[in-house]
Amino acid sequence: MEGSLLTLAWVAIVGFAVFMYVLMDGFDLGIGILYPFAPSEEARDVMMNSVAPVWDFNETWLILGGAGLFAAFPIAYAIVLPAMYLPLLLMLIALIFRGVAFEFRFKARSSRHLWNKAFFLGSLLATFAQGVVLGSFLQGIEVEGRNFAGTMLDWLTPFSLFCGVALIAGYALLGSTWLIWRTIGILQDWCFRVARRLLIVVLVLVAAVSLWTPFLDASIATRWFSVPNILLLSPVPLMVGFLAFGLWRALDEGREVLPFAFAMGLFALSYLGLAISLWPVLIPPGITVWQAAAPPETQVFLLIGMAFLIPTILVYTAYSYWVFRGKVTGAIGYH
């Protein structure tokens, strides 16, 4: 029983860290995706300045989630890493180029256009790779015993590529709503227009992924469409419709904070839907969280460290957002 509670605690920790990463790095990756389409070079300066002080804090959650998975669910880490090696490698290389672009673009003169491209392509490819990893994870990983038994290209399927495209649209929506909140003038007006189009695209893509996923695994179809589950789980799609309507209304009424809040709500519900589809499976189609968990002694030892680490990350993240609060204008520089 104690082992079960420990495992549940670690599921909550790793799930929370991944969710925080998706939300917090999602909007700044989305800004990079929108970057080349901004109305002017001055607008691009403001876009980058709106996240420059906090983007590296946001990626802390990716490190925490990966470290938690490695420590508390070593079997999952050992299987997922070789199965997704190429898209994960692409994601890390893209994130490096993107991070370097933050620093070098502000100092560059003749080569500034190259760092603009690095920021855009780094954001685009990192997001696409994350979507591919998610799609590959949902379609299942071939396992024999406790080892990965597939090939390096098992992730390359129409579904995983489609998930990559869907996540690009989703992060772009988050980025546009963040900019509505944090900017003014021409850039904010442009983001209002872009967010409306992206909302429609995102809803279509989310619906397609939601309808496609049950065909990948019969147990997922049973989870959602059997009786009484279809009635018990119906609030999830209904809430998606409610938040989408609220986001559209908020954009029409010119609200500045609500669009970002509603966009985050849509991501939270998508994450909840993913958890409902898979629980208690950690590695589809058949390895559960209980089978993948480390021994209880290891989980207890690591949990002591997390008791200090997670509050520390939450405090300095909240403090950094408080310090850099308010509207970002062209008069405010990062360096």
PDB file of all heavy atoms in Angstrom, residues 30-63:
ATOM      1  N   GLY A  30       5.428  29.260 -28.858  1.00  0.00           N
ATOM      2  CA  GLY A  30       4.429  29.795 -29.785  1.00  0.00           C
ATOM      3  C   GLY A  30       4.809  31.157 -30.317  1.00  0.00           C
ATOM      4  O   GLY A  30       4.563  31.476 -31.492  1.00  0.00           O
ATOM      5  N   ILE A  31       5.424  31.981 -29.460  1.00  0.00           N
ATOM      6  CA  ILE A  31       5.890  33.294 -29.928  1.00  0.00           C
ATOM      7  C   ILE A  31       6.955  33.129 -31.010  1.00  0.00           C
ATOM      8  O   ILE A  31       6.972  33.850 -32.010  1.00  0.00           O
ATOM      9  CB  ILE A  31       6.424  34.100 -28.730  1.00  0.00           C
ATOM     10  CG1 ILE A  31       5.254  34.521 -27.835  1.00  0.00           C
ATOM     11  CG2 ILE A  31       7.206  35.330 -29.191  1.00  0.00           C
ATOM     12  CD1 ILE A  31       5.661  35.134 -26.526  1.00  0.00           C
ATOM     13  N   GLY A  32       7.842  32.147 -30.832  1.00  0.00           N
ATOM     14  CA  GLY A  32       8.847  31.884 -31.859  1.00  0.00           C
ATOM     15  C   GLY A  32       8.235  31.422 -33.165  1.00  0.00           C
ATOM     16  O   GLY A  32       8.706  31.769 -34.260  1.00  0.00           O
ATOM     17  N   ILE A  33       7.150  30.636 -33.074  1.00  0.00           N
ATOM     18  CA  ILE A  33       6.461  30.163 -34.286  1.00  0.00           C
ATOM     19  C   ILE A  33       5.826  31.327 -35.040  1.00  0.00           C
ATOM     20  O   ILE A  33       5.829  31.382 -36.276  1.00  0.00           O
ATOM     21  CB  ILE A  33       5.401  29.103 -33.896  1.00  0.00           C
ATOM     22  CG1 ILE A  33       6.097  27.846 -33.349  1.00  0.00           C
ATOM     23  CG2 ILE A  33       4.505  28.756 -35.082  1.00  0.00           C
ATOM     24  CD1 ILE A  33       5.164  26.904 -32.634  1.00  0.00           C
ATOM     25  N   LEU A  34       5.273  32.286 -34.302  1.00  0.00           N
ATOM     26  CA  LEU A  34       4.625  33.449 -34.925  1.00  0.00           C
ATOM     27  C   LEU A  34       5.626  34.499 -35.388  1.00  0.00           C
ATOM     28  O   LEU A  34       5.282  35.407 -36.157  1.00  0.00           O
ATOM     29  CB  LEU A  34       3.655  34.094 -33.918  1.00  0.00           C
ATOM     30  CG  LEU A  34       2.467  33.249 -33.477  1.00  0.00           C
ATOM     31  CD1 LEU A  34       1.747  33.943 -32.322  1.00  0.00           C
ATOM     32  CD2 LEU A  34       1.504  33.018 -34.629  1.00  0.00           C
ATOM     33  N   TYR A  35       6.851  34.384 -34.925  1.00  0.00           N
ATOM     34  CA  TYR A  35       7.867  35.429 -35.047  1.00  0.00           C
ATOM     35  C   TYR A  35       8.043  36.004 -36.462  1.00  0.00           C
ATOM     36  O   TYR A  35       8.001  37.225 -36.639  1.00  0.00           O
ATOM     37  CB  TYR A  35       9.184  34.854 -34.534  1.00  0.00           C
ATOM     38  CG  TYR A  35      10.252  35.849 -34.245  1.00  0.00           C
ATOM     39  CD1 TYR A  35      10.145  36.726 -33.171  1.00  0.00           C
ATOM     40  CD2 TYR A  35      11.389  35.904 -35.029  1.00  0.00           C
ATOM     41  CE1 TYR A  35      11.135  37.631 -32.894  1.00  0.00           C
ATOM     42  CE2 TYR A  35      12.395  36.801 -34.758  1.00  0.00           C
ATOM     43  CZ  TYR A  35      12.265  37.663 -33.687  1.00  0.00           C
ATOM     44  OH  TYR A  35      13.254  38.567 -33.423  1.00  0.00           O
ATOM     45  N   PRO A  36       8.244  35.173 -37.500  1.00  0.00           N
ATOM     46  CA  PRO A  36       8.508  35.760 -38.830  1.00  0.00           C
ATOM     47  C   PRO A  36       7.287  36.428 -39.459  1.00  0.00           C
ATOM     48  O   PRO A  36       7.423  37.143 -40.455  1.00  0.00           O
ATOM     49  CB  PRO A  36       8.968  34.553 -39.658  1.00  0.00           C
ATOM     50  CG  PRO A  36       8.370  33.385 -38.985  1.00  0.00           C
ATOM     51  CD  PRO A  36       8.301  33.704 -37.531  1.00  0.00           C
ATOM     52  N   PHE A  37       6.106  36.202 -38.882  1.00  0.00           N
ATOM     53  CA  PHE A  37       4.876  36.756 -39.466  1.00  0.00           C
ATOM     54  C   PHE A  37       4.448  38.065 -38.791  1.00  0.00           C
ATOM     55  O   PHE A  37       3.402  38.621 -39.125  1.00  0.00           O
ATOM     56  CB  PHE A  37       3.740  35.732 -39.355  1.00  0.00           C
ATOM     57  CG  PHE A  37       4.134  34.370 -39.866  1.00  0.00           C
ATOM     58  CD1 PHE A  37       4.401  33.318 -38.980  1.00  0.00           C
ATOM     59  CD2 PHE A  37       4.272  34.138 -41.222  1.00  0.00           C
ATOM     60  CE1 PHE A  37       4.779  32.075 -39.446  1.00  0.00           C
ATOM     61  CE2 PHE A  37       4.651  32.907 -41.705  1.00  0.00           C
ATOM     62  CZ  PHE A  37       4.911  31.875 -40.808  1.00  0.00           C
ATOM     63  N   ALA A  38       5.245  38.524 -37.835  1.00  0.00           N
ATOM     64  CA  ALA A  38       4.916  39.758 -37.101  1.00  0.00           C
ATOM     65  C   ALA A  38       4.889  40.957 -38.052  1.00  0.00           C
ATOM     66  O   ALA A  38       5.543  40.951 -39.095  1.00  0.00           O
ATOM     67  CB  ALA A  38       5.945  39.991 -36.003  1.00  0.00           C
ATOM     68  N   PRO A  39       4.129  42.009 -37.690  1.00  0.00           N
ATOM     69  CA  PRO A  39       3.957  43.135 -38.617  1.00  0.00           C
ATOM     70  C   PRO A  39       5.207  43.962 -38.881  1.00  0.00           C
ATOM     71  O   PRO A  39       5.250  44.680 -39.894  1.00  0.00           O
ATOM     72  CB  PRO A  39       2.875  43.981 -37.929  1.00  0.00           C
ATOM     73  CG  PRO A  39       2.837  43.545 -36.520  1.00  0.00           C
ATOM     74  CD  PRO A  39       3.263  42.119 -36.505  1.00  0.00           C
ATOM     75  N   SER A  40       6.227  43.895 -38.018  1.00  0.00           N
ATOM     76  CA  SER A  40       7.425  44.717 -38.244  1.00  0.00           C
ATOM     77  C   SER A  40       8.592  44.156 -37.431  1.00  0.00           C
ATOM     78  O   SER A  40       8.408  43.306 -36.540  1.00  0.00           O
ATOM     79  CB  SER A  40       7.166  46.167 -37.824  1.00  0.00           C
ATOM     80  OG  SER A  40       6.962  46.235 -36.423  1.00  0.00           O
ATOM     81  N   GLU A  41       9.802  44.681 -37.722  1.00  0.00           N
ATOM     82  CA  GLU A  41      10.981  44.269 -36.948  1.00  0.00           C
ATOM     83  C   GLU A  41      10.871  44.760 -35.505  1.00  0.00           C
ATOM     84  O   GLU A  41      11.302  44.075 -34.573  1.00  0.00           O
ATOM     85  CB  GLU A  41      12.250  44.838 -37.604  1.00  0.00           C
ATOM     86  CG  GLU A  41      13.547  44.334 -36.992  1.00  0.00           C
ATOM     87  CD  GLU A  41      13.791  42.844 -37.216  1.00  0.00           C
ATOM     88  OE1 GLU A  41      13.086  42.236 -38.048  1.00  0.00           O
ATOM     89  OE2 GLU A  41      14.678  42.280 -36.543  1.00  0.00           O
ATOM     90  N   GLU A  42      10.275  45.943 -35.328  1.00  0.00           N
ATOM     91  CA  GLU A  42      10.075  46.461 -33.963  1.00  0.00           C
ATOM     92  C   GLU A  42       9.135  45.533 -33.174  1.00  0.00           C
ATOM     93  O   GLU A  42       9.335  45.303 -31.971  1.00  0.00           O
ATOM     94  CB  GLU A  42       9.486  47.872 -34.011  1.00  0.00           C
ATOM     95  CG  GLU A  42      10.438  48.945 -34.509  1.00  0.00           C
ATOM     96  CD  GLU A  42      10.672  48.869 -36.012  1.00  0.00           C
ATOM     97  OE1 GLU A  42       9.828  48.265 -36.729  1.00  0.00           O
ATOM     98  OE2 GLU A  42      11.701  49.391 -36.486  1.00  0.00           O
ATOM     99  N   ALA A  43       8.114  45.012 -33.863  1.00  0.00           N
ATOM    100  CA  ALA A  43       7.195  44.081 -33.203  1.00  0.00           C
ATOM    101  C   ALA A  43       7.928  42.803 -32.802  1.00  0.00           C
ATOM    102  O   ALA A  43       7.670  42.228 -31.730  1.00  0.00           O
ATOM    103  CB  ALA A  43       6.026  43.753 -34.139  1.00  0.00           C
ATOM    104  N   ARG A  44       8.870  42.374 -33.650  1.00  0.00           N
ATOM    105  CA  ARG A  44       9.641  41.174 -33.308  1.00  0.00           C
ATOM    106  C   ARG A  44      10.508  41.418 -32.071  1.00  0.00           C
ATOM    107  O   ARG A  44      10.682  40.522 -31.236  1.00  0.00           O
ATOM    108  CB  ARG A  44      10.495  40.742 -34.503  1.00  0.00           C
ATOM    109  CG  ARG A  44       9.721  39.949 -35.537  1.00  0.00           C
ATOM    110  CD  ARG A  44      10.615  39.400 -36.630  1.00  0.00           C
ATOM    111  NE  ARG A  44      10.811  40.387 -37.684  1.00  0.00           N
ATOM    112  CZ  ARG A  44       9.949  40.595 -38.688  1.00  0.00           C
ATOM    113  NH1 ARG A  44       8.853  39.869 -38.766  1.00  0.00           N
ATOM    114  NH2 ARG A  44      10.189  41.501 -39.602  1.00  0.00           N
ATOM    115  N   ASP A  45      11.059  42.626 -31.947  1.00  0.00           N
ATOM    116  CA  ASP A  45      11.827  42.960 -30.734  1.00  0.00           C
ATOM    117  C   ASP A  45      10.947  42.823 -29.491  1.00  0.00           C
ATOM    118  O   ASP A  45      11.358  42.255 -28.472  1.00  0.00           O
ATOM    119  CB  ASP A  45      12.354  44.403 -30.823  1.00  0.00           C
ATOM    120  CG  ASP A  45      13.478  44.541 -31.829  1.00  0.00           C
ATOM    121  OD1 ASP A  45      14.093  43.520 -32.181  1.00  0.00           O
ATOM    122  OD2 ASP A  45      13.736  45.685 -32.272  1.00  0.00           O
ATOM    123  N   VAL A  46       9.733  43.348 -29.580  1.00  0.00           N
ATOM    124  CA  VAL A  46       8.822  43.292 -28.428  1.00  0.00           C
ATOM    125  C   VAL A  46       8.425  41.852 -28.117  1.00  0.00           C
ATOM    126  O   VAL A  46       8.358  41.451 -26.938  1.00  0.00           O
ATOM    127  CB  VAL A  46       7.566  44.151 -28.706  1.00  0.00           C
ATOM    128  CG1 VAL A  46       6.541  43.982 -27.585  1.00  0.00           C
ATOM    129  CG2 VAL A  46       7.941  45.623 -28.857  1.00  0.00           C
ATOM    130  N   MET A  47       8.169  41.069 -29.163  1.00  0.00           N
ATOM    131  CA  MET A  47       7.794  39.660 -28.946  1.00  0.00           C
ATOM    132  C   MET A  47       8.879  38.927 -28.166  1.00  0.00           C
ATOM    133  O   MET A  47       8.611  38.197 -27.205  1.00  0.00           O
ATOM    134  CB  MET A  47       7.556  38.977 -30.297  1.00  0.00           C
ATOM    135  CG  MET A  47       6.307  39.477 -31.023  1.00  0.00           C
ATOM    136  SD  MET A  47       6.211  38.915 -32.740  1.00  0.00           S
ATOM    137  CE  MET A  47       5.713  37.206 -32.530  1.00  0.00           C
ATOM    138  N   MET A  48      10.127  39.115 -28.590  1.00  0.00           N
ATOM    139  CA  MET A  48      11.213  38.413 -27.905  1.00  0.00           C
ATOM    140  C   MET A  48      11.413  38.956 -26.498  1.00  0.00           C
ATOM    141  O   MET A  48      11.650  38.199 -25.547  1.00  0.00           O
ATOM    142  CB  MET A  48      12.492  38.530 -28.728  1.00  0.00           C
ATOM    143  CG  MET A  48      13.630  37.688 -28.191  1.00  0.00           C
ATOM    144  SD  MET A  48      15.064  37.640 -29.281  1.00  0.00           S
ATOM    145  CE  MET A  48      14.636  36.291 -30.367  1.00  0.00           C
ATOM    146  N   ASN A  49      11.282  40.275 -26.335  1.00  0.00           N
ATOM    147  CA  ASN A  49      11.452  40.876 -24.999  1.00  0.00           C
ATOM    148  C   ASN A  49      10.374  40.425 -24.021  1.00  0.00           C
ATOM    149  O   ASN A  49      10.598  40.425 -22.809  1.00  0.00           O
ATOM    150  CB  ASN A  49      11.424  42.398 -25.103  1.00  0.00           C
ATOM    151  CG  ASN A  49      12.739  42.952 -25.611  1.00  0.00           C
ATOM    152  OD1 ASN A  49      13.785  42.330 -25.438  1.00  0.00           O
ATOM    153  ND2 ASN A  49      12.690  44.106 -26.268  1.00  0.00           N
ATOM    154  N   SER A  50       9.194  40.043 -24.536  1.00  0.00           N
ATOM    155  CA  SER A  50       8.107  39.640 -23.639  1.00  0.00           C
ATOM    156  C   SER A  50       8.397  38.320 -22.924  1.00  0.00           C
ATOM    157  O   SER A  50       7.797  38.035 -21.885  1.00  0.00           O
ATOM    158  CB  SER A  50       6.791  39.546 -24.417  1.00  0.00           C
ATOM    159  OG  SER A  50       6.759  38.390 -25.229  1.00  0.00           O
ATOM    160  N   VAL A  51       9.307  37.516 -23.479  1.00  0.00           N
ATOM    161  CA  VAL A  51       9.625  36.227 -22.845  1.00  0.00           C
ATOM    162  C   VAL A  51      11.105  36.077 -22.511  1.00  0.00           C
ATOM    163  O   VAL A  51      11.496  35.112 -21.847  1.00  0.00           O
ATOM    164  CB  VAL A  51       9.187  35.035 -23.731  1.00  0.00           C
ATOM    165  CG1 VAL A  51       7.686  34.946 -23.809  1.00  0.00           C
ATOM    166  CG2 VAL A  51       9.806  35.129 -25.123  1.00  0.00           C
ATOM    167  N   ALA A  52      11.935  37.021 -22.973  1.00  0.00           N
ATOM    168  CA  ALA A  52      13.382  36.876 -22.754  1.00  0.00           C
ATOM    169  C   ALA A  52      13.766  36.699 -21.284  1.00  0.00           C
ATOM    170  O   ALA A  52      14.652  35.904 -20.978  1.00  0.00           O
ATOM    171  CB  ALA A  52      14.112  38.080 -23.360  1.00  0.00           C
ATOM    172  N   PRO A  53      13.108  37.418 -20.327  1.00  0.00           N
ATOM    173  CA  PRO A  53      13.541  37.248 -18.931  1.00  0.00           C
ATOM    174  C   PRO A  53      13.079  35.938 -18.286  1.00  0.00           C
ATOM    175  O   PRO A  53      13.555  35.595 -17.209  1.00  0.00           O
ATOM    176  CB  PRO A  53      12.879  38.442 -18.215  1.00  0.00           C
ATOM    177  CG  PRO A  53      12.415  39.361 -19.282  1.00  0.00           C
ATOM    178  CD  PRO A  53      12.125  38.494 -20.461  1.00  0.00           C
ATOM    179  N   VAL A  54      12.125  35.216 -18.903  1.00  0.00           N
ATOM    180  CA  VAL A  54      11.526  34.064 -18.211  1.00  0.00           C
ATOM    181  C   VAL A  54      11.627  32.749 -18.979  1.00  0.00           C
ATOM    182  O   VAL A  54      11.304  31.696 -18.427  1.00  0.00           O
ATOM    183  CB  VAL A  54      10.037  34.339 -17.894  1.00  0.00           C
ATOM    184  CG1 VAL A  54       9.890  35.510 -16.930  1.00  0.00           C
ATOM    185  CG2 VAL A  54       9.222  34.597 -19.163  1.00  0.00           C
ATOM    186  N   TRP A  55      12.075  32.785 -20.249  1.00  0.00           N
ATOM    187  CA  TRP A  55      11.997  31.558 -21.044  1.00  0.00           C
ATOM    188  C   TRP A  55      12.833  30.428 -20.450  1.00  0.00           C
ATOM    189  O   TRP A  55      12.428  29.256 -20.478  1.00  0.00           O
ATOM    190  CB  TRP A  55      12.432  31.822 -22.489  1.00  0.00           C
ATOM    191  CG  TRP A  55      13.910  32.047 -22.647  1.00  0.00           C
ATOM    192  CD1 TRP A  55      14.571  33.225 -22.549  1.00  0.00           C
ATOM    193  CD2 TRP A  55      14.908  31.056 -22.907  1.00  0.00           C
ATOM    194  NE1 TRP A  55      15.912  33.044 -22.730  1.00  0.00           N
ATOM    195  CE2 TRP A  55      16.150  31.713 -22.951  1.00  0.00           C
ATOM    196  CE3 TRP A  55      14.863  29.668 -23.121  1.00  0.00           C
ATOM    197  CZ2 TRP A  55      17.339  31.032 -23.189  1.00  0.00           C
ATOM    198  CZ3 TRP A  55      16.048  28.988 -23.359  1.00  0.00           C
ATOM    199  CH2 TRP A  55      17.270  29.666 -23.397  1.00  0.00           C
ATOM    200  N   ASP A  56      14.007  30.763 -19.876  1.00  0.00           N
ATOM    201  CA  ASP A  56      14.840  29.697 -19.321  1.00  0.00           C
ATOM    202  C   ASP A  56      14.253  29.147 -18.024  1.00  0.00           C
ATOM    203  O   ASP A  56      14.423  27.966 -17.712  1.00  0.00           O
ATOM    204  CB  ASP A  56      16.279  30.181 -19.119  1.00  0.00           C
ATOM    205  CG  ASP A  56      16.360  31.568 -18.498  1.00  0.00           C
ATOM    206  OD1 ASP A  56      15.300  32.175 -18.287  1.00  0.00           O
ATOM    207  OD2 ASP A  56      17.477  32.025 -18.231  1.00  0.00           O
ATOM    208  N   PHE A  57      13.523  29.982 -17.257  1.00  0.00           N
ATOM    209  CA  PHE A  57      12.825  29.458 -16.084  1.00  0.00           C
ATOM    210  C   PHE A  57      11.782  28.422 -16.508  1.00  0.00           C
ATOM    211  O   PHE A  57      11.592  27.392 -15.867  1.00  0.00           O
ATOM    212  CB  PHE A  57      12.106  30.576 -15.325  1.00  0.00           C
ATOM    213  CG  PHE A  57      13.026  31.605 -14.747  1.00  0.00           C
ATOM    214  CD1 PHE A  57      12.633  32.925 -14.639  1.00  0.00           C
ATOM    215  CD2 PHE A  57      14.289  31.259 -14.298  1.00  0.00           C
ATOM    216  CE1 PHE A  57      13.486  33.884 -14.093  1.00  0.00           C
ATOM    217  CE2 PHE A  57      15.145  32.199 -13.757  1.00  0.00           C
ATOM    218  CZ  PHE A  57      14.740  33.521 -13.657  1.00  0.00           C
ATOM    219  N   ASN A  58      11.093  28.726 -17.630  1.00  0.00           N
ATOM    220  CA  ASN A  58      10.046  27.819 -18.097  1.00  0.00           C
ATOM    221  C   ASN A  58      10.587  26.431 -18.412  1.00  0.00           C
ATOM    222  O   ASN A  58       9.917  25.420 -18.190  1.00  0.00           O
ATOM    223  CB  ASN A  58       9.370  28.397 -19.340  1.00  0.00           C
ATOM    224  CG  ASN A  58       8.663  29.708 -19.050  1.00  0.00           C
ATOM    225  OD1 ASN A  58       8.352  30.007 -17.904  1.00  0.00           O
ATOM    226  ND2 ASN A  58       8.401  30.491 -20.090  1.00  0.00           N
ATOM    227  N   GLU A  59      11.805  26.370 -18.952  1.00  0.00           N
ATOM    228  CA  GLU A  59      12.359  25.073 -19.346  1.00  0.00           C
ATOM    229  C   GLU A  59      12.858  24.265 -18.151  1.00  0.00           C
ATOM    230  O   GLU A  59      13.207  23.086 -18.300  1.00  0.00           O
ATOM    231  CB  GLU A  59      13.460  25.285 -20.383  1.00  0.00           C
ATOM    232  CG  GLU A  59      12.900  25.841 -21.688  1.00  0.00           C
ATOM    233  CD  GLU A  59      13.891  25.844 -22.831  1.00  0.00           C
ATOM    234  OE1 GLU A  59      15.070  25.506 -22.589  1.00  0.00           O
ATOM    235  OE2 GLU A  59      13.490  26.188 -23.953  1.00  0.00           O
ATOM    236  N   THR A  60      12.898  24.882 -16.974  1.00  0.00           N
ATOM    237  CA  THR A  60      13.252  24.130 -15.768  1.00  0.00           C
ATOM    238  C   THR A  60      12.310  22.954 -15.563  1.00  0.00           C
ATOM    239  O   THR A  60      12.712  21.880 -15.106  1.00  0.00           O
ATOM    240  CB  THR A  60      13.193  25.057 -14.530  1.00  0.00           C
ATOM    241  OG1 THR A  60      14.027  26.181 -14.754  1.00  0.00           O
ATOM    242  CG2 THR A  60      13.652  24.326 -13.284  1.00  0.00           C
ATOM    243  N   TRP A  61      11.036  23.163 -15.931  1.00  0.00           N
ATOM    244  CA  TRP A  61      10.046  22.099 -15.728  1.00  0.00           C
ATOM    245  C   TRP A  61      10.324  20.892 -16.622  1.00  0.00           C
ATOM    246  O   TRP A  61      10.003  19.757 -16.252  1.00  0.00           O
ATOM    247  CB  TRP A  61       8.635  22.635 -15.994  1.00  0.00           C
ATOM    248  CG  TRP A  61       8.243  23.682 -15.011  1.00  0.00           C
ATOM    249  CD1 TRP A  61       8.207  25.035 -15.208  1.00  0.00           C
ATOM    250  CD2 TRP A  61       7.867  23.479 -13.645  1.00  0.00           C
ATOM    251  NE1 TRP A  61       7.822  25.676 -14.057  1.00  0.00           N
ATOM    252  CE2 TRP A  61       7.602  24.758 -13.082  1.00  0.00           C
ATOM    253  CE3 TRP A  61       7.723  22.352 -12.844  1.00  0.00           C
ATOM    254  CZ2 TRP A  61       7.201  24.915 -11.763  1.00  0.00           C
ATOM    255  CZ3 TRP A  61       7.330  22.513 -11.525  1.00  0.00           C
ATOM    256  CH2 TRP A  61       7.071  23.778 -10.995  1.00  0.00           C
ATOM    257  N   LEU A  62      10.903  21.113 -17.797  1.00  0.00           N
ATOM    258  CA  LEU A  62      11.269  19.995 -18.672  1.00  0.00           C
ATOM    259  C   LEU A  62      12.352  19.148 -18.016  1.00  0.00           C
ATOM    260  O   LEU A  62      12.287  17.902 -18.035  1.00  0.00           O
ATOM    261  CB  LEU A  62      11.759  20.533 -20.020  1.00  0.00           C
ATOM    262  CG  LEU A  62      12.256  19.484 -21.021  1.00  0.00           C
ATOM    263  CD1 LEU A  62      11.129  18.550 -21.431  1.00  0.00           C
ATOM    264  CD2 LEU A  62      12.859  20.155 -22.254  1.00  0.00           C
ATOM    265  N   ILE A  63      13.327  19.819 -17.406  1.00  0.00           N
ATOM    266  CA  ILE A  63      14.405  19.096 -16.723  1.00  0.00           C
ATOM    267  C   ILE A  63      13.848  18.323 -15.527  1.00  0.00           C
ATOM    268  O   ILE A  63      14.193  17.159 -15.294  1.00  0.00           O
ATOM    269  CB  ILE A  63      15.486  20.096 -16.269  1.00  0.00           C
ATOM    270  CG1 ILE A  63      16.102  20.783 -17.494  1.00  0.00           C
ATOM    271  CG2 ILE A  63      16.560  19.399 -15.447  1.00  0.00           C
ATOM    272  CD1 ILE A  63      17.012  21.944 -17.163  1.00  0.00           C
TER     273      ILE A  63
END
